[in-house]
């Protein structure tokens, strides 16, 4: 049976999405809805914004992000996520592995250089 | 509470039930994250949320099933290896007390044990029944108090009444004590019926959610 596009995307997201979350926090702390909105914008990285929260929970338990509460101008206080030093190191390691991996996949698929 | 807000509450209730198999800290963290997400989204609306606003917010979140699927995939390896049907760490006996056999067994122990309490040994039945209703997630708050305290007390009055009536039949007309006995008998039976129905309903719901979570894990 040929897997559908959704099934392929689900598999590709595993092992990648967490680094996209870390990358989205590189420029500063952000709260859950804001992170989700940024990653869900193109509909490729996450299927539903709610699926981000189990991942954020794991990243916090792993010590790659930490949380703090900040007042909000609209609505209740928000939990802000910040990438830790360890999270930054994990992201750097991923980036160094990702570039050759992406190139290898593009080459294997016969993609043309941009 | 307005209808749109009720729908967000229902979404969170459904999610909470589906996440029952997760380790408690992870479950609480996911539920908190989703709740904060909904609160922030509702605050951004800037007016009383309409059905269309809630449709959009819940649509962007994805179905509770999608969130559960993601949560199951994020479980620690050891917990994942144990499978969905396995209880969270430290909670196995509690999970065991979520079965459909629990309401009839626990409530009959309390009813029968309470009725025969004056004979000594059945106190053990009452003690086991109390432990079951207090430890089981099938009953909450006041229901546990009614089951653990009121039911055996009413039931013991029931036996007192029955024994008393056997003598009273030969001794004379109804007295206030008879009336109290009849009232306690009725109260005990009503309590058993209400608690049985509620407990059985929750047991069915847990069982259905377990099957759904297992299906989601197999599909993922």
């Amino acid at each position: 049976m040929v897997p559908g596009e959704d099934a392929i995307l689900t598999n590709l997201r595993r092992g990648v999405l967490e680094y996209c979350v870390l990358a989205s926090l590189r420029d500063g702390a952000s709260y859950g809805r804001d992170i989700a909105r940024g990653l869900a914008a193109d509909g490729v990285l996450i299927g539903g914004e709610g699926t981000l929260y189990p991942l954020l929970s794991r990243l916090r338990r792993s010590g790659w992000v930490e949380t703090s509460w900040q007042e909000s101008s609209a609505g209740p206080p928000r939990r802000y996520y910040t990438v830790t030093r360890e999270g930054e190191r994990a992201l750097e390691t991923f980036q160094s592995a990702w570039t050759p991996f992406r190139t290898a996949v593009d080459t294997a698929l016969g993609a043309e250089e941009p | 509470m307005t209808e749109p807000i009720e729908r967000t509450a229902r979404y969170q209730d459904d999610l909470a039930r589906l996440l029952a198999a997760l380790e408690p800290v992870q479950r609480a963290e996911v539920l908190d994250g989703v709740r904060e997400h909904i609160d922030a989204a509702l605050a951004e609306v800037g007016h009383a949320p309409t059905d269309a606003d809630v449709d959009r917010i819940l649509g962007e979140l994805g179905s509770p099933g999608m969130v559960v699927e993601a949560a199951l995939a994020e479980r620690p390896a050891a917990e994942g290896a144990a499978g969905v049907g396995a209880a969270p760490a430290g909670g196995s006996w509690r999970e065991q007390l979520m079965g459909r056999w629990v309401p009839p067994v626990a409530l009959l122990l309390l009813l029968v044990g309470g009725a025969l309490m004056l004979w000594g040994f059945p106190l053990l039945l009452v003690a086991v029944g109390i432990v079951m209703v207090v430890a089981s997630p099938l009953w909450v708050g006041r229901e546990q108090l009614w089951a653990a305290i009121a039911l055996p007390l009413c039931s013991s009055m029931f036996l007192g009444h029955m024994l008393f009536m056997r003598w009273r039949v030969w001794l004379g007309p109804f007295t206030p004590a008879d009336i109290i006995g009849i009232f306690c008998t009725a109260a005990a039976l009503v309590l058993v019926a209400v608690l049985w129905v509620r407990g059985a309903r929750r047991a069915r719901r847990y069982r259905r959610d377990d099957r759904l979570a297992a299906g989601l894990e197999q599909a993922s």
Side-chain angles (χ1 to χ4, degrees):
Chain A
M1 191 179 71
V2 179
E5 199 170 316
D6 283 345
I8 291 174
L9 276 177
T10 300
N11 283 329
L12 288 175
R13 285 174 191 140
R14 290 193 184 121
V16 174
L17 184 56
E18 60 206 82
Y19 298 100
C20 298
V21 172
L22 294 177
S24 75
L25 297 173
R26 243 182 335 204
D27 295 331
S30 188
Y31 60 99
R33 177 161 163 73
D34 214 27
I35 301 169
R37 207 163 21 195
L39 294 173
D42 54 10
V44 173
L45 288 177
I46 52 177
E49 294 178 359
T51 61
L52 176 69
Y53 294 99
L55 172 58
L56 284 172
S57 168
R58 176 165 64 81
L59 292 179
R60 189 199 58 75
R61 290 198 309 270
S62 304
W64 288 6
V65 300
E66 54 193 15
T67 60
S68 61
W69 289 91
Q70 292 184 26
E71 289 297 328
S72 160
S73 57
R78 290 169 175 163
R79 188 199 313 253
Y80 274 73
Y81 295 84
T82 314
V83 63
T84 62
R85 183 69 203 113
E86 198 179 345
E88 284 174 0
R89 277 202 301 272
L91 179 58
E92 287 162 11
T93 307
F94 174 79
Q95 281 181 308
S96 61
W98 174 252
T99 307
F101 179 82
R102 185 187 57 195
T103 306
V105 172
D106 285 346
T107 304
L109 293 177
E112 293 180 9
E113 289 293 325
Chain B
M1 191 184 278
T2 61
E3 175 62 22
I5 300 299
E6 279 177 15
R7 285 177 54 211
T8 63
R10 271 204 302 273
Y11 178 97
Q12 293 175 73
D13 287 346
D14 289 345
L15 183 58
R17 279 202 309 277
L18 288 171
L19 290 173
L22 283 193
E23 185 268 327
V25 174
Q26 189 194 359
R27 178 173 184 262
E29 211 163 345
V30 173
L31 289 172
D32 285 347
V34 170
R35 179 178 46 76
E36 291 158 21
H37 183 111
I38 291 174
D39 288 346
L42 290 174
E44 286 170 12
V45 169
H47 52 78
T50 63
D51 277 329
D53 294 323
V54 173
D55 282 343
R56 178 181 50 78
I57 292 167
L58 297 185
E60 288 169 351
L61 269 174
S63 69
M66 281 177 74
V67 180
V68 173
E69 193 177 343
L72 291 173
E74 297 292 349
R75 286 189 305 178
E79 193 187 341
V84 167
S92 58
W93 54 274
R94 206 171 141 81
E95 295 272 319
Q96 293 297 320
L97 289 175
M98 287 162 63
R100 284 190 294 185
W101 59 274
V102 174
V105 171
L107 296 173
L108 286 178
L109 281 176
L110 289 167
L111 187 70
V112 175
L116 305 175
M117 198 183 321
L118 297 178
W119 292 348
F121 168 73
L123 267 176
L124 187 61
L125 303 182
V126 175
V128 173
I130 289 176
V131 169
M132 286 178 74
V133 295
V134 170
S136 171
L138 297 181
W139 296 283
V140 292
R142 286 183 186 171
E143 292 171 351
Q144 290 172 325
L145 282 179
W146 281 106
I149 297 172
L151 177 53
L153 279 180
C154 286
S155 186
S156 68
M157 294 294 286
F158 164 66
L159 177 71
H161 172 70
M162 290 299 286
L163 290 175
F164 190 64
M165 278 298 289
R166 285 179 64 185
W167 295 105
R168 294 295 305 169
V169 166
W170 305 103
L171 295 179
F174 273 102
T175 66
D178 298 333
I179 304 297
I180 293 173
I182 292 170
F183 173 79
C184 288
T185 303
L189 294 176
V190 168
L191 267 176
V192 168
V194 170
L195 293 170
W196 192 321
V197 166
R198 291 187 178 184
R201 195 166 51 203
R202 289 182 188 128
R204 277 198 305 274
R205 195 182 296 162
Y206 281 127
R207 192 177 162 83
R208 188 192 64 201
D209 293 347
D210 252 8
R211 281 202 300 262
L212 178 55
L216 285 168
E217 189 178 59
Q218 279 177 357
S220 65

